[in-house]
Amino acid sequence: MVALRGEGPLKLGGTLRVSVAGAESNVAIGLARLGHRVHWTGAVGADEAGELVLRTLRAEGVEVSGATRDATAPTGLLLFEPRLPEVTRVHYYRTGSAGSRPAPAAVERVFATAPPRVLHLTGITPALGPAARATAGHALRLARRYSTLVCLDVNFRARLWTADEAAEVLRGWLPSVDVLIASGDELPLCLPGPAGDPAEDAARLLALGVREVVLTHGADGATAFTGAGGPHHQPAVPVRAVDPVGAGDAFVAGYLSALLDGADLAGRLARAATTGAFAAASRGDWEGAPTRAELSLLGAPPGTVVR
């Protein structure tokens, strides 16, 4: 989507900063900055807003040859409205957008050309409508065919669909998911029956075949559960937070980056906490994502000048 960021209540007018946003594209940029080859597949309108999205992704080193331009639908729009120092309201304009109806053929071309090691999906795409839901489901079937690891970030958005709608889709996806990332209140969406405490829910998900369940706690860090050994907790990396938007996507990018590098569970969580902290300490959805060379900067003493 194109993202417009205000500096106060939208009804009062004022200036808006233009950028792009989207959970999957945020993760794609985060991974590309860490040196990985990344392909983003989706749809934008055949308009200037769509060109901005594709141009931004290309500039960040993300491959977009599988993206499509829809001449019959506009590029989606997202408005950010800061209301309090730590509270931002978002307004979606995505119904009927090009991104709500991506083409399955584009996903097929990517898999046929170079099957990816990891397919990353979020619970946002299927919330956009039947076409997006069907294409995401098709991507899951292709991942199974090509033995591609599947990472799902639940990323529930109540403004896009109801909890019942989300649960029906996500529970159907669960047999195809290898790595599940969610907050404690999102885990029940993936499970039939009554919810337990988050640790119990994670254990149930592992019993259903998910290989790794990563439970995010915001400022309290994250905990990963696997079938081998007990859970591993990673505290958040302390930073002066200026904008929490995009921190979750940066966390996912760090986790997948370390997974692709062959790091163990502790290493994956540590890198994820670091990349998430970079995002929280920077304004914007993806702008603060670190490069691999910058990962060590958060350990530098306050006031350090890097020359």
Side-chain angles (χ1 to χ4, degrees), residues 89-167:
R89 291 195 296 208
V90 295
H91 306 273
Y92 294 103
Y93 297 88
R94 305 186 75 173
T95 301
S97 68
S100 71
R101 49 194 201 189
V107 181
E108 289 180 359
R109 286 196 300 271
V110 173
F111 272 88
T113 302
R117 292 174 60 192
V118 174
L119 169 68
H120 176 63
L121 296 172
T122 78
I124 295 176
T125 297
L128 299 180
R133 197 170 304 164
T135 296
H138 186 57
L140 284 174
R141 291 189 290 275
L142 289 170
R144 193 179 305 120
R145 182 189 308 171
Y146 287 93
S147 300
T148 295
L149 182 144
V150 173
C151 174
L152 171 63
D153 183 358
V154 173
N155 235 331
F156 176 65
R157 295 290 183 268
R159 290 196 175 193
L160 295 177
W161 59 351
T162 67
D164 287 342
E165 290 172 322

Side-chain angles (χ1 to χ4, degrees), residues 179-183 187 212-216 222-225 251 255 269:
V179 179
L180 181 73
I181 300 176
S183 60
L187 283 185
E212 300 176 20
V213 177
V214 183
L215 186 60
T216 58
T223 306
F225 301 82
F251 177 94
Y255 193 89
L269 283 172

